[in-house]
Amino acid sequence: METNDQYSGRHRVRLVMAGGAAALTLGAGLATLGPAPQQAHGAGDGNKVLTVAVAQSVDSLSPFLAVRLLSTSIHRLTYEYLTNYDAEDNHVIPGLATRWESSPDKLTWTYTIRSDSKWSDGEQATAKDAAWTFNTMMSDPGAATANGSFVANFEKVTAPSPTQLVIRLKKPQATMTALDVPIVPRHVWETVDDFSKFNNDKDFPLVGNGPFILTDYKADSYVRLKSNKEFWRGAPKFDELVFRYYKDQDAAVSALRKGEVSFVAGSPSLTPAQSASLKRDGNIRVNDAPGRRFYALATNPGAKAKNGEKMGDGHPSLLDQRVRNALFMAVDRRTVIDKVFQGHAVEGAGYIPPRYAQYFWEPSPEQELAYDPAEAARLLDRAGYRKNGDGDRVGKDGEPLTYRVLCHATDPNDKAIGQYLEEWWGDLGIGVELNCLDNVTDPWLAGEYDLAFDGWSVNPDPDFVLSIHTCAALPSTPEETGATDNFICDKTYDELYARQLAEYDAGERAAIVRQMESRLYDLGYMNVMAYPNAVEAYRTDQIASITTMPAKAGNIYGQDGYWSWWSAVPADSGDTGGGSSSTGVVIGIVAGVVVLAGLGAFMALRRRATAEDRE
């Protein structure tokens, strides 16, 4: 997933996340921008242009393949989903669907599709587009690459009329108002021959029905979109939106200072030094809010495919839970927070950040793998990995233990924590080879690592990020595509995942999700070290107001919707609406809230969304 924070391989797209950097960095320095707008705020024709500096490149412009946060954020802007999430507090609101209801047995869901949404080529968006999108994902493995988990439980999808969509399930599914799947125009996409290879990046403008229309793209350089004047909620206030790619975050910050860009998201956050420096600029506002990401150190669990064939060359000692736990007990989370993030994060443990209180989990004192180097040493001794005369821990093969740690070359957090690992694990007698690469994808896909910095952005409904640790997410064979994050496959975890997916009671489901987090913690394959803040900045002389999500202490970039860029007000427009809250958004969706109110207590339980984050 940020993410979402995800990466993809050469021929096998996979949901691998960059902890901290969230970018597949190619080339050096600032990429050549070609025909992209050079002004952040105004163009020669009088258009208002909002330029966003990003540190992540696009993996695909196909909604069926894209997994990175930037790519899925672009799809949020260009295609409508069945439902959306209110910027004020994340509850479910209408999107392409104006209302929905389930049968008493929860196996049949009927959605009413709005009649006022048109594709940008003038054709009407209908239920038939939605049915075709889902049926294609159900029948074509290539089309299921990014979001197949959402439709795995679908039995049948039909469109009895242009405004009615009916989904029949095999068993109850709690995410039916949180289907984070872009609905595409059938008349455009039905000519695609191979969904696993079609990146949707040749013919512009792309046909969509969101608040923006994608008009131009250059790989590892920029994405340009224009305002959709026919968007049913109303057109954005900026005429154009440009995402400009920077490999070097200092260069992006410099561009913000010069007014060459309007907004900097960081990679995915600004460093403490950068944010402190920017706060001294009178024309720049820094947004520092609790984030929706976790930052972790992932252990190779013995990578394998569904067919049981082993992959990669992970160190065999890491198959021992005692060794994994020892490594994590030798990581001082307090130092990570204080010295690396300098207070712009909170200590981690569970898989879901405290921002989502109903799913947030913390270990009990008896369960906690607290910082305790002495106990870590004793665990290693009991596991049979003792020190030799030189003070080195020795493996079963008689060789000193040395672990390869994948890190992202552009992420200062990875590098800083990597240096601490060398010190902490060195005290245990274990060597560390910090392997910082521009492209971590290939070794990760192949399972050729021992540990790796990892991270995901989590949406209000955590189903998707939970699904990527199931056995079903493994690649079928080592040569094929998988949705797994880190090759984890555990029967107990899978049983809990199936239970939460079928549980409609919000409290009961949250309790099961917390059990899943506890199970992941005990397995020791994922050491969640921190929940970083979203630290980002924008120019107040270019952006008068912009919506955060949630309204109180929320993020701007990578939202669970399109509210930030749709609501942004140019500084010289004379319009002061929107602000740093959801005021403008609430006005735009008040009719949808009224519809929701009529759905009663049952729909109150549906106020959740799945993870895109694809962060």
Side-chain angles (χ1 to χ4, degrees):
M1 237 354 17
E2 160 142 15
T3 15
N4 145 292
D5 303 25
Q6 292 90 351
Y7 292 75
S8 62
R10 290 165 296 183
H11 301 293
R12 300 169 32 194
V13 177
R14 154 160 199 246
L15 306 183
V16 177
M17 283 274 309
L24 175 59
T25 53
L26 301 172
L30 172 61
T32 302
L33 297 179
Q38 297 300 305
Q39 291 177 294
H41 186 42
D45 57 3
N47 281 352
K48 301 297 182 183
V49 182
L50 172 55
T51 304
V52 178
V54 296
Q56 187 178 55
S57 56
V58 170
D59 55 341
S60 177
L61 291 179
S62 165
F64 297 108
L65 299 179
V67 294
R68 295 185 193 159
L69 180 59
L70 175 59
S71 307
T72 55
S73 295
I74 290 169
H75 290 141
R76 281 275 184 196
L77 297 169
T78 54
Y79 302 100
E80 276 282 35
Y81 296 29
L82 288 182
T83 59
N84 211 321
Y85 312 104
D86 181 75
E88 181 76 22
D89 62 4
N90 294 318
H91 74 264
V92 176
I93 60 171
L96 185 60
T98 60
R99 58 174 297 168
W100 45 87
E101 59 184 357
S102 72
S103 59
D105 63 4
K106 307 294 191 297
L107 292 177
T108 301
W109 285 76
T110 303
Y111 301 81
T112 300
I113 303 301
R114 64 177 58 258
S115 59
D116 56 350
S117 178
K118 288 188 176 183
W119 300 111
S120 53
D121 62 0
E123 292 206 22
Q124 182 70 38
T126 73
K128 297 184 185 303
D129 294 304
W132 184 87
T133 299
F134 290 126
N135 280 314
T136 301
M137 293 169 61
M138 293 164 60
S139 60
D140 190 311
T145 297
N147 298 308
S149 64
F150 290 115
V151 301
N153 183 45
F154 286 12
E155 182 176 280
K156 186 178 182 181
V157 182
T158 59
S161 76
T163 59
Q164 188 178 59
L165 175 73
V166 180
I167 300 177
R168 177 73 180 176
L169 303 174
K170 299 172 185 176
K171 56 186 178 182
Q173 180 170 322
T175 60
M176 294 307 290
T177 61
L179 299 173
D180 274 338
V181 176
I183 304 302
V184 302
R186 174 179 179 173
H187 66 282
V188 173
W189 283 82
E190 63 185 353
T191 61
V192 174
D193 293 326
D194 188 344
F195 286 95
S196 68
K197 297 180 180 178
F198 181 69
N199 281 313
N200 198 30
D201 58 0
K202 296 297 186 291
D203 298 319
F204 298 97
L206 301 184
V207 177
N209 62 341
F212 288 90
I213 301 168
L214 206 162
T215 60
D216 197 10
Y217 164 68
K218 183 175 181 180
D220 305 315
S221 183
Y222 66 86
V223 181
R224 177 162 39 183
L225 307 97
K226 71 175 182 179
S227 168
N228 182 0
K229 305 301 182 183
E230 305 301 320
F231 183 52
W232 68 272
R233 284 194 200 273
K237 296 176 177 62
F238 276 92
D239 300 300
E240 288 189 79
L241 172 63
V242 178
F243 292 99
R244 186 182 294 180
Y245 171 71
Y246 288 80
K247 176 180 177 179
D248 185 286
Q249 186 162 298
D250 286 332
V253 170
S254 177
L256 181 72
R257 292 188 189 280
K258 297 174 183 177
E260 295 172 352
V261 301
S262 311
F263 181 96
V264 173
S267 60
S269 294
L270 299 175
T271 67
Q274 288 169 340
S275 63
S277 176
L278 289 172
K279 285 178 181 178
R280 296 194 291 267
D281 192 312
N283 290 320
I284 293 176
R285 178 173 297 165
V286 174
N287 183 51
D288 188 345
R292 50 188 287 241
R293 299 182 62 250
F294 67 80
Y295 181 78
L297 191 60
T299 304
N300 188 330
K304 62 181 179 181
K306 286 180 186 175
N307 64 2
E309 191 173 345
K310 293 182 179 179
M311 300 171 59
D313 57 2
H315 201 289
S317 65
L318 296 174
L319 300 179
D320 191 323
Q321 184 173 339
R322 294 170 296 183
V323 174
R324 300 193 298 269
N325 288 349
L327 292 178
F328 294 166
M329 293 178 75
V331 172
D332 186 353
R333 289 176 173 81
R334 192 67 256 163
T335 294
V336 170
I337 301 302
D338 293 343
K339 301 298 184 181
V340 178
F341 290 99
Q342 296 182 31
H344 297 269
V346 294
E347 289 187 46
Y351 203 52
I352 298 172
R355 171 167 167 168
Y356 306 116
Q358 71 272 38
Y359 298 115
F360 179 61
W361 171 87
E362 293 180 288
S364 65
E366 298 76 23
Q367 185 183 15
E368 184 181 8
L369 298 173
Y371 180 57
D372 190 341
E375 179 59 24
R378 286 190 286 270
L379 277 175
L380 291 169
D381 287 341
R382 289 197 290 270
Y385 298 94
R386 297 179 177 275
K387 286 185 177 181
N388 62 15
D390 296 325
D392 297 325
R393 294 277 171 183
V394 178
K396 302 299 175 65
D397 58 1
E399 295 295 322
L401 287 184
T402 298
Y403 295 129
R404 301 159 300 161
V405 180
L406 271 179
C407 88
H408 306 88
T410 56
D411 189 353
N413 295 328
D414 284 10
K415 293 178 181 178
I417 295 172
Q419 292 176 359
Y420 278 112
L421 293 180
E422 292 175 350
E423 174 188 337
W424 293 329
W425 293 353
D427 291 342
L428 291 176
I430 295 174
V432 173
E433 291 181 359
L434 198 61
N435 191 15
C436 295
L437 305 172
D438 282 348
N439 176 11
V440 301
T441 301
D442 289 346
W444 200 319
L445 286 173
E448 295 172 352
Y449 64 97
D450 297 324
L451 297 104
F453 289 100
D454 194 9
W456 280 89
S457 292
V458 182
N459 276 19
D461 188 301
D463 177 76
F464 188 87
V465 291
L466 297 173
S467 75
I468 60 178
H469 288 318
T470 61
C471 300
L474 295 174
S476 297
T477 69
E479 292 75 29
E480 296 185 26
T481 298
T484 183
D485 172 45
N486 195 46
F487 296 99
I488 294 174
C489 178
D490 176 69
K491 182 178 179 182
T492 300
Y493 180 88
D494 277 14
E495 291 171 349
L496 291 169
Y497 175 78
R499 284 177 53 198
Q500 68 82 29
L501 185 60
E503 180 56 69
Y504 280 92
D505 181 271
E508 290 295 327
R509 183 177 180 227
I512 298 171
V513 169
R514 290 192 293 271
Q515 289 181 56
M516 296 174 69
E517 295 181 81
S518 177
R519 179 64 178 173
L520 277 179
Y521 185 88
D522 287 342
L523 288 173
Y525 292 122
M526 295 285 291
N527 176 18
V528 177
M529 296 177 287
Y531 308 115
N533 286 5
V535 187
E536 50 202 358
Y538 65 93
R539 294 195 64 90
T540 56
D541 56 353
Q542 295 184 14
I543 302 174
S545 63
I546 193 165
T547 296
T548 58
M549 183 178 187
K552 295 180 180 179
N555 58 293
I556 295 171
Y557 179 76
Q559 293 182 354
D560 305 306
Y562 40 64
W563 309 121
S564 53
W565 315 125
W566 175 74
S567 71
V569 177
D572 58 358
S573 68
D575 186 346
T576 58
S580 294
S581 68
S582 300
T583 304
V585 177
V586 172
I587 291 173
I589 62 177
V590 65
V593 175
V594 172
V595 172
L596 278 177
L599 296 179
F602 171 72
M603 289 316 302
L605 300 178
R606 314 299 327 121
R607 294 184 170 187
R608 54 176 77 98
T610 26
E612 58 181 67
D613 276 280
R614 315 229 217 49
E615 276 132 75

